[in-house]
Amino acid sequence: MKKININDVIIKPLITEKNSKLTADNNTYVLEVHPDATREDVKRAVEYIFARSNAKVKKVNITKVKRKPKKMGKYEGFKKGFKKAYVILSDGIIPIYGSEGVEKAKKDNKKGLKIIDTEKLMKEAEKNIK
């Protein structure tokens, strides 16, 4: 087993509708992690990197996503496989896209994420350009 730098354990957050719902309802974050990372590595990395937001890890589950065949015209290949971790926090947050809406929803005792009015934002952007 080779040693992994604590900053290299977490590759990126996986942001999908399903993962956003998990974050809002169960305080569970889904992260893509290093292929050699263990549960303890992920726990230490999350608590170290997100120490400012008081993130305390309750539980970590890890799964491997297998590579899948992909065709593009006459070419064939594979989408890469990766390892992902489901991190359940007992305290604090991981400040990724949408976390502010999750915290506000928790305070208001509402489920779901903050809804952004894109039409309003586009109109404001057009006013700023002119």
Side-chain angles (χ1 to χ4, degrees), residues 10-91:
I10 299 172
I11 296 172
K12 65 181 179 181
L14 298 173
I15 302 172
T16 62
E17 281 187 46
K18 183 178 179 181
N19 296 343
S20 298
K21 188 171 182 184
L22 278 173
T23 302
D25 296 343
N26 303 330
N27 209 18
T28 303
Y29 295 86
V30 184
L31 308 168
E32 183 178 337
V33 295
H34 192 277
D36 296 330
T38 63
R39 291 179 183 191
E40 286 299 317
D41 293 337
V42 174
K43 180 179 179 179
R44 273 192 238 115
V46 168
E47 289 181 351
Y48 176 76
I49 293 169
F50 302 108
R52 285 184 146 179
S53 60
N54 299 322
K56 299 292 178 205
V57 176
K58 181 178 178 182
K59 186 176 178 181
V60 176
N61 291 328
I62 292 182
T63 62
K64 286 186 178 180
V65 178
K66 294 182 180 178
R67 67 184 194 155
K68 297 177 184 174
K70 186 79 176 166
K71 289 184 181 179
M72 188 72 148
K74 66 179 183 178
Y75 301 104
E76 294 182 8
F78 289 92
K79 288 175 75 175
K80 71 177 187 111
F82 59 93
K83 195 176 212 180
K84 67 180 173 179
Y86 292 88
V87 179
I88 303 170
L89 298 181
S90 60
D91 190 27

Side-chain angles (χ1 to χ4, degrees), residues 104-121:
K104 187 175 184 222
K106 285 182 183 177
K107 288 179 186 175
D108 296 341
N109 292 326
K110 295 179 184 174
K111 291 189 176 182
L113 294 173
K114 179 178 163 185
I115 298 172
I116 300 170
D117 186 6
T118 53
E119 290 180 17
K120 183 179 176 184
L121 290 174

